Amino acid sequence: MTPLFDVHRDLGATFTDFAGWRMPLRYTGDLAEHHAVRRAAGLFDLSHMGEIEVTGADAGRFLDHALVGRLSTLAAGRARYTMLCHDNGGVLDDLVVYRLAERRYLVVANAANTAVVFAMLREHADGFGVGVRDASADWALIAVQGPAAAAMLDPGPLRYYAIRDFTVAGRGVLLARTGYTGEDGFEVYCRPGDAVAVWESLLARGPSPAGLACRDTLRLEAGMALYGHELSVRVTPLQAGLERVVAFDKSDFVGAAALRRQRAEGPADVLVGLVTGTRRAPRRGYPVLDPATGAQVGAVTSGALSPTLGHPVAMAYVPVGVSAPGTRLAVDVRGTGADADVVALPFYSPQR
């Protein structure tokens, strides 16, 4: 359970088990919470996420080796989205890395992958002057996401993908301008013992409590990959359309040889967006078909009826030859073939 379990229970949350945590799935309802984030702001408990501290004189150089991005050039107070890959190029986890000080980084991992990320970072640390520590128990994480989030927090001149010291309810916190909804927003890292006071202070500013269910439809509309769906050790960043996060100009890093080979040859299949002509949404695992032959050419990784757009959207892996926007495919939706058009991601992007 997170430090906010009793708060969620008192708010009437419906809970679900997720990666060993008892997490709020919804409060008032998925649609209401989704629209609250798109139109104003939602308040999320993300304390299940993992935090790993990397410290020492070689911290930047070590992370350049262990991860696909270049972290050594990241300025203190900034963040970067990156990945930890296997030697074969497959994604072990996608991460946000914050540089808190010259020799101190905070690596934020998905809840289900925290142990793997910690173990792999420790393994790759041989030969580097660094300390790698699982600091997950030191932090609770609360997010305020939505177009009204900045007005509610008054963060000052904090840039996107930046982090700084801040105060909420008289408690010292780390405030990051990051998120996973496609909207502007902030993530508040606080001590577990301060979580209730921080949550209540933020809630009093007007955001609606929001659960994991609406977080999933929000990130899907924004075309954001979810580990275990769009990302896995069987998928590379290039297949997922995330080649931009790989610093190929680095001399070497874990997975470099496999990723350079795939870059030269081109991936066989890639992630695409699909929009269907039926009210029934494609779901994970539904076959993607060639409409002329009925043969399966791919599979849906995530799908839902988009609350914002009012029609079904899905992401799927398909062969490169049928991945161009405008290509007509089909999806087997419970035995019925539904027309599906390939579209560019994201499905939704707010006016900024």
Side-chain angles (χ1 to χ4, degrees):
M1 295 185 293
T2 81
L4 294 167
F5 178 82
D6 290 342
V7 172
H8 302 316
R9 183 190 56 201
D10 292 345
L11 288 170
T14 298
F15 290 92
T16 187
D17 292 321
F18 183 78
W21 295 81
R22 194 73 174 153
M23 297 298 298
L25 183 64
R26 64 180 60 85
Y27 299 86
T28 56
D30 301 352
L31 287 176
E33 292 165 30
H34 182 107
H35 289 312
V37 175
R38 287 280 181 251
R39 297 167 183 171
L43 188 64
F44 297 86
D45 178 8
L46 306 179
S47 299
H48 60 307
M49 301 292 282
E51 291 86 17
I52 298 162
E53 285 192 357
V54 178
T55 56
D58 287 346
R61 189 168 67 90
F62 160 65
L63 290 172
D64 283 353
H65 166 71
L67 308 179
V68 300
R70 187 181 294 280
L71 286 307
S72 61
T73 59
L74 194 63
R78 298 307 305 272
R80 184 159 293 159
Y81 176 72
T82 187
M83 294 180 178
L84 172 68
C85 285
H86 189 276
D87 286 335
N88 67 8
V91 179
L92 291 169
D93 201 16
D94 61 329
L95 312 162
V96 174
V97 177
Y98 300 94
R99 190 169 197 169
L100 301 182
E102 181 66 23
R103 298 184 175 190
R104 184 185 177 209
Y105 291 80
L106 189 67
V107 178
V108 180
N110 285 296
N113 294 335
T114 301
V116 170
V117 173
F118 178 59
M120 293 305 296
L121 289 179
R122 294 262 297 188
E123 180 179 321
H124 295 318
D126 286 347
F128 292 91
V130 296
V132 179
R133 183 176 74 91
D134 186 348
S136 302
D138 295 349
W139 298 102
L141 178 57
I142 300 168
V144 184
Q145 299 283 302
M152 292 175 179
L153 270 76
D154 191 18
L158 185 64
R159 298 166 59 188
Y160 186 54
Y161 263 64
I163 189 168
R164 71 178 182 90
D165 292 331
F166 197 66
T167 301
V168 177
R171 275 73 170 180
V173 304
L174 292 175
L175 181 67
R177 200 163 198 161
T178 48
Y180 190 56
T181 63
E183 297 289 345
D184 189 16
F186 302 85
E187 295 181 318
V188 181
Y189 292 84
C190 66
R191 300 305 176 190
D194 294 336
V196 172
V198 171
W199 172 279
E200 290 178 346
S201 176
L202 294 173
L203 185 63
R205 304 178 195 200
S208 300
L212 292 183
C214 82
R215 191 165 180 256
D216 191 50
T217 52
L218 290 160
R219 69 91 193 168
L220 173 59
E221 289 181 344
M224 293 178 166
L226 174 64
Y227 198 89
H229 289 244
E230 288 71 43
L231 299 175
S232 75
V233 74
R234 296 179 299 279
V235 172
T236 71
L238 280 67
Q239 290 173 277
L242 293 167
E243 180 177 336
R244 66 183 183 277
V245 310
V246 183
F248 280 107
D249 60 334
K250 294 191 298 184
S251 59
D252 191 30
F253 56 92
V254 178
L259 292 173
R260 287 191 172 112
R261 184 166 56 250
Q262 187 177 76
R263 189 189 195 198
E265 298 171 354
D269 59 342
V270 292
L271 185 68
V272 300
L274 296 176
V275 172
T276 66
T278 176
R279 294 293 296 177
R280 289 193 298 172
R283 300 294 182 183
R284 180 186 179 192
Y286 283 15
V288 179
L289 312 174
D290 179 331
T293 66
Q296 181 172 352
V297 296
V300 171
T301 55
S302 298
L305 177 64
S306 164
T308 303
L309 303 176
H311 58 71
V313 298
M315 291 193 282
Y317 279 98
V318 301
V320 170
V322 293
S323 66
T327 302
R328 173 59 60 88
L329 297 171
V331 178
D332 184 340
V333 181
R334 296 184 182 179
T336 300
D339 290 340
D341 292 323
V342 177
V343 299
L345 294 171
F347 302 105
Y348 163 85
S349 181
Q351 297 292 327
R352 294 196 187 277

